[in-house]
């Protein structure tokens, strides 16, 4: 079994420790950095309409930049989880299950108003 | 081989489609939602000093909430990648390699100033 | 002359000091809080199309919530400036002048591509 | 009486209209842009401890950059309020009054726990 999260985390820790950067990676600073990367992702939409962002998916350069920003968000997410002892895969499975009880199919299906109000 | 990203993405798509929510998941809106979740993660640090955030790791309730917020960020990250046709695992491996050329070990090791200025 | 920034700042400082909250208002924490409020502002757009956000301006409840979130952003902005000794009015005048040299009228007028690329 | 908000807003609108940029300034896009600027403000704290951010106030270059980022946030705040017909000065006075009823002095004075839990 290849556990992708474990393998990527190991690469990130090796990267960090080769540079002696662990001391900069306090939890609060990692959480700030994740927000900065999320913002760089959002910046790809700046001054674009909903439709223009959708259309940009077909642009190779846009998709490459989007991939890089998504990677940066995941990198900080894995570093946070490593620091705090969180199993991200398990936490995500649990959260999907929790969301299932918060948004039961029969209650919200195809209903925008219910979706946005719940 | 268990591909965690693929499996989680499949669960998310099944969740979304059972609720007929695909039409709300435009790319721009998913990118906004990811930022809102990143902000909820950051909110866990509000009014806490660096040291208080670090100490909170030992608090079971804090760690549970941190896990839930990390999961929410990953959920939107996977939905964005699915929508845009991005292989998040590959994109992250590529980004770590790229970062290695941007921050060569011999140039930045143990050096806070170089780290923050590069 | 009524200096609005000065008057609002004085009210905020009186509010803070009556509650003995100054010690919580470190600069880093104020900057985090401003980001959390900016995010609550953005949340008003969640799952809405560009057009739906525009249309929501006519909704009294939406406008009231928008006003409250804008106020929260300004409150933290004024607290940051007070803490750091920044004259926000002057800084904004200077920035508008600087932007005028960065985006000269003859170069960018009515040109979306130039606007987004500059 | 000099109304600073009004005067700054008038300068911003003249700036925008001279460049024929009104059509890019949809409300959703302005709210995204405010978040991007808030993030640039937060970036000034990246990899700095609470104490290092506090100490940076004495650094002229840091204070200049902080002033510019604060100005950028205010610029988008004023553009949003202009677009949505919000009186930012009044909205802020109302919000401070509202906060006074949410956080009564006798209940929260000098009490960190109450402050963070309320």
């Amino acid at each position: 079994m290849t556990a992708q999260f474990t393998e990527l985390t190991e690469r990130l820790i090796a990267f960090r420790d080769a540079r002696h950067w662990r001391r900069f990676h306090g939890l609060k600073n990692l959480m700030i950095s994740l927000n900065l990367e999320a913002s760089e992702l959002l910046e790809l939409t700046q001054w674009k309409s909903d439709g223009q962002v959708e259309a940009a998916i077909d642009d190779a350069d846009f998709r490459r930049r989007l991939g890089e920003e998504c990677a940066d968000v995941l990198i900080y997410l894995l570093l946070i989880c490593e620091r705090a002892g969180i199993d991200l895969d398990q936490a995500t499975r649990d959260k999907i299950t929790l969301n299932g009880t918060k948004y039961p199919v029969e209650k919200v299906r195809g209903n925008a108003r219910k979706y946005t109000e719940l």
Side-chain angles (χ1 to χ4, degrees), chain A residues 91-109 115 118:
Chain A
T92 306
R93 288 170 201 278
D94 291 349
K95 193 56 167 53
I96 296 173
T97 303
L98 181 65
N99 286 346
T101 64
K102 282 167 72 181
Y103 304 102
V105 167
E106 62 277 11
K107 219 172 142 193
V108 299
R109 185 166 45 204
Y115 181 63
L118 271 175

Side-chain angles (χ1 to χ4, degrees), chain A residues 11 32 40 62 73 76:
Chain A
R11 286 192 61 181
I32 287 173
E40 290 190 21
F62 178 88
V73 172
Y76 283 112

Side-chain angles (χ1 to χ4, degrees), chain A residues 2-118:
Chain A
T2 314
Q4 291 173 309
F5 290 115
T6 307
E7 202 187 313
L8 287 172
T9 300
E10 281 167 5
R11 286 192 61 181
L12 290 170
I13 298 308
F15 187 99
R16 180 196 72 189
D17 290 345
R19 285 156 186 80
H20 299 193
W21 282 354
R22 190 182 191 286
R23 58 175 154 150
F24 303 121
H25 284 196
L27 191 55
K28 189 169 166 184
N29 279 344
L30 290 174
M31 288 157 89
I32 287 173
S33 291
L34 184 140
N35 271 266
L36 300 179
E37 297 300 342
S39 183
E40 290 190 21
L41 184 77
L42 187 63
E43 196 176 358
L44 294 176
T45 75
Q46 201 180 19
W47 309 124
K48 287 194 184 74
S49 69
D50 294 325
Q52 286 170 327
V53 176
E54 219 63 39
I57 298 176
D58 296 328
D59 181 78
D61 186 56
F62 178 88
R63 220 170 43 245
R64 181 190 55 74
R65 290 166 64 202
L66 182 58
E68 286 184 11
E69 300 305 344
C70 285
D72 281 333
V73 172
L74 183 63
I75 285 170
Y76 283 112
L77 202 54
L78 293 171
L79 287 168
I80 289 167
C81 290
E82 193 271 340
R83 181 121 192 153
I86 288 168
D87 178 337
L88 181 57
D89 183 67
Q90 189 59 51
T92 306
R93 288 170 201 278
D94 291 349
K95 193 56 167 53
I96 296 173
T97 303
L98 181 65
N99 286 346
T101 64
K102 282 167 72 181
Y103 304 102
V105 167
E106 62 277 11
K107 219 172 142 193
V108 299
R109 185 166 45 204
N111 193 326
R113 283 192 62 202
K114 276 186 187 154
Y115 181 63
T116 52
E117 282 167 14
L118 271 175

